[in-house]
Structures are given as structure tokens and as C-alpha cells.
Amino acid sequence: MKRSRKDPIYRPDRFEYLQALLTEYCQTDNVGDKHEIVANLANFAYNPVNHGHFQKLNLLDLFLDLTDDEDLDLRRMGVMGLVNLSVNPHYRSKISQQSELILPLLQSHDTETLISTLTLLYYLHPEGIGDANIRRTLEELNSKSECSRTNNLLALLLRIDTSSS
């Protein structure tokens, strides 16, 4: 009988695989490789099965560090990783405590980074934004934005009724 890569015997241990990705990220100087690795890690963050491994490897810290990286793609993927982790109450609590890293992303001119940041805020504040400074920033953004995707997320965050528009 021929075995495929999907057989458990051929699959590396999930923790070891994630650890190898993190090691490769830390050791490589190749920006393209870093992009690919962070994209993979951000995608793996979506699966709750990986969350315990992410905690052991401190991958939340990697995503948080990337929020102010000079490389736009790494910054964008870091925020996407945070969004994917934020469905987990443990990570949601930890990410909520890092607003000084997240709020500057609301000034991003990159649509995907901005949308991911707004999505992250939605997950962090499902009952709505209570902080007056954040609300003011979102209201300013809402008055300037011409992107329907951004406007829809802002409407959700600010609890704006758009049914009549």
C-alpha cells in the first residue's frame, strides 16, 4: 500500500513544525522567506488546535512585535495573526492589554492593514467601543474613509445604523 503525505506517519509533530518555522524566521535574513513564514504562522493561528503551541512558542509576541515593523507586508501579516488569535479568550485578553501597539495601526494608509486592525478591534470589543479616545479616532476615520469595506467595519464598531443609506 502506497502512503501519502496525509498519513499521520508522514506528518511532523505540529509543535515541532511550528517551532521549526519560528527558528527559520529568527535565523533567516531573506525578507521573502520571512514573509512566507509569517504568512504561514498567521494562517496557523486561525486553528484553535495550534493555540497551545503558539503559547509555548510565544508567537503572540512575534505578531505584536510585527505591528510596528518597517516592512508593510510583515506588519500586515502580524495584524492578521493577531486577528486569528483573538478568537481565543486567552489571547483576546493579552492583545487587549497592548492597545499602544494596535491603535497606531488605525493611521495606516494600507487598506488591508486598516481593515485587519478594525476587525481586530471588533473581536476585542464585541459589545462596542467604550473608550472615548478610540471612538474619536474611529469617528475621524469614518468621516474620511471612502472605502466601503472600511466604512462597514467602522459602522459595526461605532454601532451606526446604515440601513437607511
Side-chain angles (χ1 to χ4, degrees):
M1 177 170 91
K2 185 176 179 182
R3 296 205 179 263
S4 75
R5 287 187 193 181
K6 292 185 179 183
D7 288 338
I9 196 167
Y10 288 104
R11 280 188 259 161
D13 174 79
R14 192 180 297 255
F15 176 79
E16 290 173 6
Y17 180 70
L18 293 169
Q19 188 174 39
L21 281 176
L22 179 59
T23 300
E24 185 179 352
Y25 174 83
C26 292
Q27 292 177 349
T28 188
D29 291 325
N30 183 307
V31 176
D33 289 348
K34 284 186 180 278
H35 289 173
E36 185 176 337
I37 293 164
V38 173
N40 283 323
L41 289 171
N43 285 335
F44 289 132
Y46 184 73
N47 187 342
V49 170
N50 295 322
H51 290 179
H53 302 311
F54 271 58
Q55 189 171 356
K56 289 176 192 166
L57 295 168
N58 294 316
L59 288 171
L60 173 62
D61 291 341
L62 172 65
F63 293 140
L64 288 169
D65 288 344
L66 290 173
T67 61
D68 68 350
D69 198 278
E70 291 180 13
D71 185 300
L72 175 62
D73 291 325
L74 289 174
R75 190 169 50 246
R76 182 185 308 131
M77 289 181 276
V79 177
M80 290 176 181
L82 292 174
V83 170
N84 286 341
L85 284 177
S86 69
V87 298
N88 179 306
H90 167 78
Y91 286 114
R92 190 168 40 251
S93 172
K94 297 259 184 206
I95 295 166
S96 292
Q97 297 168 15
Q98 302 296 325
S99 61
E100 75 279 357
L101 296 174
I102 296 162
L103 297 181
L105 296 168
L106 292 172
Q107 307 305 320
S108 178
H109 296 290
D110 177 64
T111 303
E112 296 307 315
T113 300
L114 181 57
I115 287 171
S116 291
T117 304
L118 292 170
T119 303
L120 178 59
L121 285 174
Y122 184 76
Y123 284 138
L124 296 178
H125 304 280
E127 64 289 332
I129 303 292
D131 182 289
N133 290 328
I134 298 174
R135 285 193 68 79
R136 190 170 22 262
T137 300
L138 295 176
E139 288 165 353
E140 288 172 17
L141 190 56
N142 191 46
S143 69
K144 297 180 210 173
S145 176
E146 295 178 12
C147 173
S148 62
R149 292 168 50 206
T150 301
N151 291 338
N152 289 338
L153 283 165
L154 286 164
L156 284 171
L157 285 164
L158 295 169
R159 305 294 197 252
I160 298 170
D161 182 7
T162 59
S163 59
S164 61
S165 38

